[in-house]
Amino acid sequence: MAGALLLRVARALGTAWLIASALFLLSRSLPGAAPQLFTDERVGTFGQQAAAETDYQQRLGLQTPLFYFRLLPWRWHGTPNQYHRWLTQVSRGELGSSFRDGTAVTEHLRRALQLTLPLTGSALLLGAGLSLLLAQWAARRPRWYRRLVSAGYFLDSLPLFVVGMLLLLLLANPDFWPLFPAYGLPADFSVTGARPWQAAPYFVLPVTALTISSLPALFLPVAAALREQWQQPYVATARAKGASRQRTSWRHVLPNAAPVFFTRLADLVPGVVAGAVVIEVVFALPGMGRLLAEAAAARDVPVLVGGVLLIAAVRLLAWLLADFLNVLLDPRLL
Amino acid sequence: MLRSAAIWGLLSGIFGLAACSPSSSSQSAGAPTVRVCWPRDPESLNPVTLPNAYAVQANNLLYQSLLTVDGPARRHVPWLAATLPAVERRDSLTYLRYRLHPRATWDNGQPILAQDVAFTLKVLNCPGLPNEGLRGLVSFIRDVQLDAADPRRFTLVCRGYAPEYRDNSGEFPILPEYLIDPQGRLRPVPLQLLTRADSSVARLAPIRAFQQEFNQPARWRDPRTLRGSGPYQLATWQVGQQLAFTRKPHWWADNLAATTPALAAEPGRIEFHVIPNPATALLALRRNELDVYPHMPGPDFARLQATDSTRFRFYSPASYRVVVLEMNVQQPRLRETRTRQALAHLIDYDQLLRATQYGQGQRSTGLISPREKWAYHDSLPLRPYAPPRAAALLRQAGWQQTAEGWRRPQQPQPLTLRLFYSAGDRTYETIALLFQQSARQIGLPVTLHPTEAGQLSELRRNGEFDLSLRTLYGNPFAYDLRPLLHTRSIGSGGANRSRFGNAASDQLLETLASTEDSVAKVRLLHRLQTLLYQEVPFTPLFFEPNRLAVSRSFEHVRPNGLEPGYDLPSFTPAPVQP
């Protein structure tokens, strides 16, 4: 088993390197992908613009060749190239620095994760817990199951933006019920700082919106899997041997439906680090989603590549973890 | 029992959390706090980078330049300088003689001297720093001559002459040498060496040492380093969320007898709240969590005016931002002038203003704002919306209307046009749809291409479009339109995206840029406006208004058409109404 897991870890690391390399090379070689000092809105001094752009590109290290070689026409550049420099940095645990402000990418990611992890992490935990409880409850009640599935599909069809705006207009609106703050965080908020719980009211609406939107993604497949298990002969046998409904549900049915739950959960885990750009925009929270969206718009490739690398690593880790848990539950899957 | 306990627990939790909601008061016993809405973070407060208008606004609280713009008066006024500079032209050089304000000091009590101006110019020209944008602005300054008798006097020696030199020479922030270069590494390096296009300069030991210190990103977030001679200091900066500035307890201009608006600094604290979503910003304003909401979307502005006029004051002065429909004159389909004129008649300007600006905004015949009456060519008529006239012009241009559309005898393909604009911009989307509808009336198909901003920039730079919607930013001071219209500005050399121009128009633009005499300048501006009106490389749709809502708790807003559209340091608490 250890060998198989090691093999999967090695495969996952290889995949992460491939994804990051492809993103790095594509983001720097596609037309329009290079950052520009002057935009259509910001015009340079007459006769100076081209020189200023060249200086800017040179300062960012974009004047050196992109890769070890060029195919057409063939030319060997050797190690002084952008990809080699980036790969060397990554191997040392550095992801370079932002094109926009020169700050280390790791610092940008750390700052964004400080907000994103409590936000999306609590939403995922709430969503997972609620969906599991609801699925367990509904799987034994056919009428409620049908109603909840319909409700689940309805919620699933609602765009996250609509859910966020509805909550904002209902519970942060001076004309309706201004219970919660409309945006942002307290001025001195820090997860590791003093009294982080003071930020709790600021998290209620965004976490609720994210929980509502993630609920159907977990509830629908898990409830279906549990319902299917309830119709299996081993359930009748357990009940005939005197096991209570509760015991049958948690000790016999749930372990058999758990692989579905873990697999769906593994799909949602990368969202914890990727953030939720829509919710971060609606509630003015500077998390990972906004960081990556703004980096993409500004062609801040180091931040973008760093963020995607992190998300890819978490996704691969989540899959590995889900595989490991499923194997623990059912060794035949190995 | 258990269920009701759980429900009560949940409810009391919610109310408990809600009770922790922040206080919405912005007034303290002393100087007031002003809270302003920004749609995005300034990204960098490094005074030589200034990547966007928000960074410039924040920087103007921290640093001062020699001159500043008095928005409502629409002119440059002295700020750190005692008076406007004296201009002298000799041979091929221009000399701008300045004297710094005799009371101006840094926060450490040391006077601000000509040496600091020389240091600032060295920093702006130093290679390897993120100063590429500002370097171009001061590239006309060749040297600084310090006055041996008066350490506050200096002369800027400039290459050639342009009327804009006087204003441009005073627009860069003056940096404190004692904070930025305490070791005096740049002091022995002459400015003329730095202004030379010589790559070996970057390898000099003192330059490399200075680069290393200057380029540490942490120092441009540190309130101890990030301070100039401005009235405010950085209190906190939570990236992507909030910036707060506090009034310095002792500022050099505090004790000046007759304080001009440029030297006002009334608020005790200024907070910029970053709220990207307009609906959220509107809620925050109505919840009294914001005091100033600039650049409001038209529908929100109109709604708030209708519902909350007792709590807010509303301003909408015309700005110098003009939305234009740009035409790529090098596309074979649009090479003929009458074809472009026809397209200009297919825009229902009044409907556009109603649909996108709620009746506000101002039409114009060209790039010059009608507010600038001395320069605006008011003899040119505003182009009407006239589809029949457009059809007639297309026929004159050689297009024939057939069952398949408009085609020329020698061209097998009928005339179709691609309209590009920035995706997600509601104003552009509305304009594009209305234009498409109007063009359809005369059987002209227009395909819409909402495009990501970076991609769109690249397409425009390469001339891979027929039509595009764009906003041009102007001001009432400079009429050097070469970056927008000169043939050398086509492609990556500038911002001439319509690819318009010829030797005659280039000559006209160059003469205009170097003419100081106001009568001659007006004549040249009128000639240029007439040329653009006839050639139609773009058709101006409207000048946008600066929509601004401000809490009635404040007065002395000084709204104006220049960015940011209000004068934050002048804000004072309004007297309480009985």
Side-chain angles (χ1 to χ4, degrees), chain A residues 25-109:
Chain A
L25 294 170
L26 281 175
S27 61
R28 296 209 181 188
S29 55
L30 291 176
Q36 296 286 326
L37 179 64
F38 299 107
T39 58
D40 285 344
E41 279 71 40
R42 191 184 179 205
V43 178
T45 311
F46 178 67
Q48 308 276 334
Q49 191 161 318
E53 283 289 0
T54 308
D55 289 348
Y56 176 65
Q57 306 271 333
Q58 198 158 4
R59 181 168 58 80
L60 298 182
L62 301 174
Q63 297 272 308
T64 47
L66 180 62
F67 201 53
Y68 298 97
F69 58 84
R70 191 178 59 191
L71 269 181
L72 292 170
W74 171 260
R75 185 160 178 197
W76 176 254
H77 298 302
T79 50
N81 66 67
Q82 294 177 45
Y83 178 73
H84 184 80
R85 201 177 57 220
W86 174 76
L87 207 59
T88 316
Q89 280 177 342
V90 171
S91 65
R92 289 199 303 258
E94 295 166 18
L95 295 171
S97 40
S98 162
F99 283 166
R100 285 177 290 173
D101 60 4
T103 305
V105 172
T106 44
E107 172 61 19
H108 272 292
L109 297 180

Side-chain angles (χ1 to χ4, degrees), chain B residues 108-189:
Chain B
N108 65 354
Q110 295 297 310
I112 301 174
L113 302 175
Q115 185 63 47
D116 291 301
V117 179
F119 167 73
T120 304
L121 283 167
K122 287 179 191 176
V123 175
L124 293 179
N125 283 287
C126 183
L129 307 189
N131 57 7
E132 298 88 1
L134 275 182
R135 201 187 303 163
L137 282 180
V138 295
S139 58
F140 63 92
I141 301 174
R142 206 176 77 163
D143 199 10
V144 187
Q145 292 174 349
L146 307 185
D147 189 324
D150 183 349
R152 293 179 191 273
R153 271 187 204 283
F154 63 95
T155 303
L156 300 178
V157 183
C158 311
R159 290 182 190 88
Y161 173 75
E164 280 81 23
Y165 278 6
R166 194 195 71 168
D167 294 342
N168 290 354
S169 68
E171 283 194 334
F172 53 89
I174 304 300
L175 308 175
E177 186 182 18
Y178 81 96
L179 277 177
I180 293 175
D181 187 19
Q183 283 85 18
R185 295 185 202 279
L186 284 189
R187 199 165 270 198
V189 182

Side-chain angles (χ1 to χ4, degrees), chain B residues 413-424:
Chain B
Q413 293 301 317
L415 176 63
T416 56
L417 294 167
R418 299 166 301 160
L419 173 57
F420 287 81
Y421 53 92
S422 188

